[in-house]
Amino acid sequence: ARQPDHPALEQPGEAPLSYAARDRLANQRAHDLIAAGIAPGDVVGICAARSPGFVTAQLAVWKTGATFVPMDPSYPTETLNIIGEDSGAKLILTDGSVQGLSVKTMDLHAPPDGALPETPPARDAMPADRLAYIIFTSGSTGRPKGVMISHTSLAAHSRAIIPLLGLTQADRMLQFAALSFDVAIEEVMGTLLAGATLVLRTTEMSQSTDVFLDQVRALGITT
């Protein structure tokens, strides 16, 4: 609301998404989720590659009062089904890259119905210790294990990380970590709460140091 036209999200090669546009899309997706039966206290999986839609989906899930579970689409389907079932996910938002999921899915990139409201869903007040997300281990040493993170914990961490990094709205933060790793949530939420711009890394940036350094310079990354 303070800076509706400031860029919130950028994916290299695409037009930036402003704070106002990001909020409108998250509101519409939240109404879409509610129409699909998602209610406060439910769990929603997000199984998709890095994209503005992934970040928008995180915010949309919170606007419904639900909890999200980041799921890495590169994991075996069996592992993803364990995560979906153990977390109690009612729905999984996907980009179509994974088939055979045992939980009902919804297309993450399907444009929300244009008739859906662009304003936040009405919700009763919820306790601050409600769950923000559930993060799972990869399961490389056995069955994946989930850790439950409350909004209270996430808010406290974000409040600490912003001054620690000295983030301001002039900053451009690179979102580099794997989306199934909670450092990614630190990158996303710290940036957006500081009013800075989140820039999503390309696949090539993780494969070559030279490409990484060249793109950091080209994209004007500050953090």
Side-chain angles (χ1 to χ4, degrees), residues 98-178:
V98 177
Q99 305 299 319
L101 293 176
S102 57
V103 176
K104 177 184 174 183
T105 62
M106 176 186 285
D107 185 356
L108 175 73
H109 296 309
D113 183 345
L116 290 170
E118 294 183 348
T119 51
R123 278 200 287 118
D124 293 334
M126 295 186 67
D129 62 355
R130 69 191 184 278
L131 293 185
Y133 63 95
I134 305 171
I135 199 91
F136 276 80
T137 61
S138 66
S140 59
T141 58
R143 189 179 181 88
K145 299 174 181 65
V147 178
M148 300 180 289
I149 309 297
S150 70
H151 279 278
T152 303
S153 296
L154 179 58
H157 185 79
S158 298
R159 182 172 293 163
I161 204 72
I162 291 170
L164 182 67
L165 298 178
L167 289 176
T168 72
Q169 48 186 142
D171 277 305
R172 292 171 61 79
M173 165 76 87
L174 181 66
Q175 197 288 294
F176 186 88

Side-chain angles (χ1 to χ4, degrees), residues 25-203:
L25 288 170
N27 288 336
Q28 287 189 310
R29 181 63 70 199
H31 285 287
D32 210 11
L33 289 169
I34 291 169
I38 298 302
D42 285 339
V43 175
V44 177
I46 308 177
C47 184
R50 181 177 287 97
S51 70
F54 193 105
V55 177
T56 299
Q58 293 179 353
L59 301 173
V61 170
W62 286 339
K63 286 172 181 283
T64 70
T67 300
F68 79 82
V69 180
M71 302 169 69
D72 191 328
S74 69
Y75 285 179
T77 303
E78 180 183 2
T79 301
L80 293 173
N81 282 333
I82 289 172
I83 292 172
E85 292 163 12
D86 282 8
S87 67
K90 191 172 183 178
L91 179 72
I92 298 175
L93 289 163
T94 75
D95 58 6
S97 60
V98 177
Q99 305 299 319
L101 293 176
S102 57
V103 176
K104 177 184 174 183
T105 62
M106 176 186 285
D107 185 356
L108 175 73
H109 296 309
D113 183 345
L116 290 170
E118 294 183 348
T119 51
R123 278 200 287 118
D124 293 334
M126 295 186 67
D129 62 355
R130 69 191 184 278
L131 293 185
Y133 63 95
I134 305 171
I135 199 91
F136 276 80
T137 61
S138 66
S140 59
T141 58
R143 189 179 181 88
K145 299 174 181 65
V147 178
M148 300 180 289
I149 309 297
S150 70
H151 279 278
T152 303
S153 296
L154 179 58
H157 185 79
S158 298
R159 182 172 293 163
I161 204 72
I162 291 170
L164 182 67
L165 298 178
L167 289 176
T168 72
Q169 48 186 142
D171 277 305
R172 292 171 61 79
M173 165 76 87
L174 181 66
Q175 197 288 294
F176 186 88
L179 294 169
S180 58
F181 183 35
D182 55 4
V183 170
I185 299 169
E186 173 184 277
E187 292 168 343
V188 171
M189 297 317 302
T191 301
L192 296 181
L193 289 170
T197 301
L198 185 72
V199 182
L200 307 180
R201 73 160 167 83
T202 63
T203 302

